[in-house]
Every structure is written in C-alpha cells, then in structure tokens.
Amino acid sequence: MTTRTPLRLPSLKLIGIAVVAGIIAGAAAVYIKETGSGNGAADMAAGECKASKDIATRIKPLLKGEVAAMVATDQPQRMTSIAFKDADGKPVTLENFAGKTVLFNLWATWCVPCREEMPALNALEKELGSDRFQVVPVNIDTGDDEKPKTFLAETGVDALKLYRDDTIAVFNGLKKQGLAFGLPVTLLIDDKGCLISAMNGPAAWDSEDAKALIKGAVGI
C-alpha cells in the first residue's frame, strides 16, 4: 500500500524540493519566451495569443505562497500542438481541450515529487473541474500502462483521466523550449490554448493559493 501524504501538509521532502524548484523557476523565467521544435513546440501564431497577455498579467499577483514557483510569461505561446494519447491509446492534442483553461502536468511513477503531488491535483480537479477547467496529467513512463494505472488506483486518484506519452517526446519538446528542466513540469494554458505560466517542481495544488490562481486564470 502506498503511503499517502496529507493534501494540505506536504512532506518535508516535498517542501525541500519545492524550494529548489523555486530556484529553477527563476532560471525558467529567462527561457519562458523561447520557442523550439518537436512535440510540444509552440505554434507560431503570436497574434492568436495577444489577448492572453491580459490573463498572464492578471494572474501575476496570484503567483505566491504554494504556487510561488510558477512563472507568468510575457509572451504567451500557442501550445495546442502538444500531442499524447488517451487511456484507449488514441492520439490527443491540447487542441482537443479548446475552450477550457488547462493545468497540464507531466509526471512519472519513478518521480517522487510527482507521486506526492498527484493526490492534490486530483483534489483540485474534483473541486474546480468543469466545462471551463481541467487538470490534464500526462504520464511519461516508458513501457505499457500497468505502472501508472496501478499507481493511480493505489493512491485513490479517481477524478483524473490517464493520459500517456511513453516516447517522452512531450518532455523533450518542452525541454527544447526551455520549459522543462525535470519532473514534474506544469503548464497553465488558457482557453485559447496559449501558455500563460509554467513551473518545474511540485506544488500543493489543493491549497487555497492554487485554487485562487486557477480561478484567476479562468475568470471566476
């Protein structure tokens, strides 16, 4: 049986990793304007993301406390080309979530902070998931679906759908863009498919700080 960390009381290990993540986020701020190639490359449609600058500006005061490691971008990028698979193995891109604000999260079963924050992501989806917002966690374990499915079942994650990329192409694509340095990686994408903030490292996504950030991004 997997030991579960209380949702509102992250372990000391998680807190320590989050501190390091905050330092990494500072570095990410330098690169968050970059674009790259491959899976996850930002669409070169800056005009379509012009209005997203207002959302990125609006959420900046909300990037504090438990989500202080998130970095708002000054130049929102279209991210709809990010591709992965659903639980049935069918291809999906972020274009499929058009009209929703998405908290996109890359995780793996071998990543300790990923495992610790997953119940909090599940709680966030339970409370705020709607036709306007969705948590989209993408597992990047190689091999078949057995390990991630077992992990989600053992930790009681019942509100999140299983999405997969066993090629790790999504992570590598985001790495080329300067958006991924390690796991977990979390992108906040608005309802137009434009990146408005990003972070490397874990967060207490069931916290009041996190919920305020999501509500600010959605506009509720």
Side-chain angles (χ1 to χ4, degrees), residues 9-220:
L9 295 173
S11 68
L12 291 177
K13 182 185 292 183
L14 182 56
I15 293 171
I17 295 171
V19 171
V20 175
I23 296 172
I24 293 174
V30 177
Y31 297 102
I32 200 167
K33 297 179 182 179
E34 298 292 330
T35 59
S37 59
N39 192 352
D43 298 335
M44 301 303 288
E48 295 182 23
C49 289
K50 187 176 181 180
S52 301
K53 284 187 177 182
D54 293 336
I55 301 176
T57 298
R58 184 173 73 213
I59 66 171
K60 281 185 179 180
L62 302 174
L63 302 178
K64 61 183 181 179
E66 300 289 355
V67 290
M70 285 287 273
V71 179
T73 178
D74 293 326
Q75 296 182 357
Q77 311 163 9
R78 286 270 290 176
M79 306 299 286
T80 51
S81 62
I82 292 179
F84 43 98
K85 294 180 180 180
D86 65 15
D88 296 321
K90 296 179 180 178
V92 179
T93 70
L94 284 181
E95 184 68 45
N96 293 88
F97 301 88
K100 286 186 177 183
T101 297
V102 168
L103 190 69
F104 180 81
N105 178 272
L106 290 184
W107 69 284
T109 59
W110 43 262
C111 164
V112 173
C114 301
R115 295 172 68 95
E116 294 207 24
E117 78 168 357
M118 193 58 60
L121 286 167
N122 189 65
L124 179 65
E125 174 65 21
K126 277 188 173 181
E127 182 167 345
L128 296 182
S130 68
D131 58 354
R132 299 182 63 187
F133 170 71
Q134 185 174 340
V135 177
V136 179
V138 177
N139 173 268
I140 63 170
D141 282 44
T142 56
D144 59 27
D145 297 349
E146 183 178 351
K147 283 186 178 180
K149 283 184 176 179
T150 298
F151 167 72
L152 295 178
E154 287 180 347
T155 52
V157 174
D158 55 2
L160 300 177
K161 295 182 179 180
L162 177 63
Y163 296 104
R164 295 265 286 132
D165 174 32
D166 59 4
T167 69
I168 318 181
V170 175
F171 178 86
N172 289 333
L174 294 177
K175 184 177 180 180
K176 288 180 180 179
Q177 293 174 243
L179 293 171
F181 298 90
L183 290 178
V185 178
T186 306
L187 309 181
L188 184 56
I189 299 166
D190 72 8
D191 57 358
K192 298 178 182 62
C194 300
L195 175 69
I196 53 176
S197 66
M199 71 177 288
N200 282 249
W205 290 109
D206 59 332
S207 67
E208 293 305 314
D209 291 326
K211 287 183 279 188
L213 171 60
I214 297 306
K215 290 177 181 179
V218 176
I220 55 177

